[in-house]
Amino acid sequence: MIHLPQISVVREGEQLRVRSPYHPAFPPGARNLGGKWDRGRGEWVFDPRLEEEVRALLTRIYGWDGTYPVLISDARVILDGLPATWREDRSLWLLGRELACRPGRDARVQLGPGVSLESGGFPPSGGSRKYPALKWHPGTALRVFDVPVAKIEAVREQHPKAIEEIPGARRVVQGPGQVVPAPDPARAAPEVGRRILIPGEGG
């Protein structure tokens, strides 16, 4: 199983239709580009002339725009390297996905798909009834599987003490369900290199 965000960008007549997993940063960015939410189909609809801008938005948020091939790897998130105020949030959004969430003050923290606890942990409760909080213990680290390398590199620039790429974990996703070992970087195909060098921003 690959936990790469499933993204599709399709031209349909005079519309550009985009389907992607929920991320709190995407709807505001989509609306800034004139995007409209099609509730019936669960897709965003854009003017097709803005395809380049839409793909750039997807890359900033998720680390890729749904175009294969894409270079992925696994990342270690050292929570003590993140801003201390983030301990007070109910959810941790990073690397293009929700890594952890405490649904209620007395509810245990739930990890997102493709996320495992490497060390440390979370207390059984945290925050208040109105504002649940993660409140991770010192030394807590998460392993996040199948992250676009472009996203790992972009987030590491913002939080260098919090993000590490797991050595030897790089693979290339050539299409749905098609994963192969990453080639020698010196011999990487130009199109793969282009995908991994697109900069990203945000969590």
Side-chain angles (χ1 to χ4, degrees), residues 69-71 150 153 172 183 185 188-198:
V70 57
L71 182 66
E153 294 175 347
V172 176
E191 64 271 19
V192 174
R194 180 169 57 84
R195 292 295 166 195
I196 70 174
L197 293 176
I198 296 174

Side-chain angles (χ1 to χ4, degrees), residues 124-154:
S125 64
S128 64
R129 290 186 181 277
K130 188 174 182 180
Y131 300 107
L134 293 171
K135 296 284 189 181
W136 56 76
H137 295 308
T140 298
L142 305 175
R143 181 163 180 165
V144 187
F145 294 92
D146 310 328
V147 184
V149 169
K151 190 62 178 175
I152 295 175
E153 294 175 347

